[in-house]
Amino acid sequence: NKPILLLAVPFYYEEPSVKKKGKENVFVVVDDMPTFKGGDAGLLKFISDNLNYPEIAKINNIKGKVIVKFRVRYDGIVDNIIVAKGADPFLDEEAVRVISLLPPFKPGKMKGKPVNVWYSLPIEFSLD
């Protein structure tokens, strides 16, 4: 059983950290958002190919949507992965694990310069 993955347009909300200066500044909305190689379809494929439905969740018929938030740094590296909205500890852990495997993005830009950007992504776990 492969999990069903829904990819939605990322949503953004204000973070206290946006007020920091320099390379620590993390933007919520920028002129050019970070992009994954292959676009949204490439991101969906990467997550689908690397996501493993936890066995304990399968056995207990646990389903749900996990919203993962992470920073795409000015150099494209993904870090600061957190569960913004969890579904179940086993599903949450798997969602964080798969996001931690993401290769670098093309960084987001503000006024032509690469910047840190918050990115949120829903991952839907569903059994057939």
Side-chain angles (χ1 to χ4, degrees), residues 22-27 30 71-74 114-118:
K23 290 199 190 251
E24 290 302 309
N25 196 15
V26 183
F27 290 87
V30 292
R71 179 176 70 167
V72 177
R73 293 183 351 188
Y74 63 94
V115 293
N116 300 318
V117 181
W118 284 119

Side-chain angles (χ1 to χ4, degrees), residues 86-100:
D88 172 87
F90 297 109
L91 302 182
D92 299 351
E93 183 180 337
E94 178 57 15
V96 169
R97 184 195 71 79
V98 89
I99 294 301
S100 72

Side-chain angles (χ1 to χ4, degrees), residues 74-87:
Y74 63 94
D75 57 4
I77 302 294
V78 169
D79 68 1
N80 288 4
I81 305 164
I82 61 166
V83 174
K85 181 177 180 273

Side-chain angles (χ1 to χ4, degrees), residues 2-3 5 20 31-32 34 40 47 51 60 75-76 81 83 86 90 101-102 108 113 115-116 119 122 126:
K2 273 298 238 181
L5 177 69
K20 292 182 180 176
D31 299 334
D32 298 308
D40 288 345
I47 292 172
L51 196 69
N60 291 302
D75 57 4
I81 305 164
V83 174
F90 297 109
L101 300 175
L102 287 172
K113 294 185 179 181
V115 293
N116 300 318
Y119 198 101
S126 179

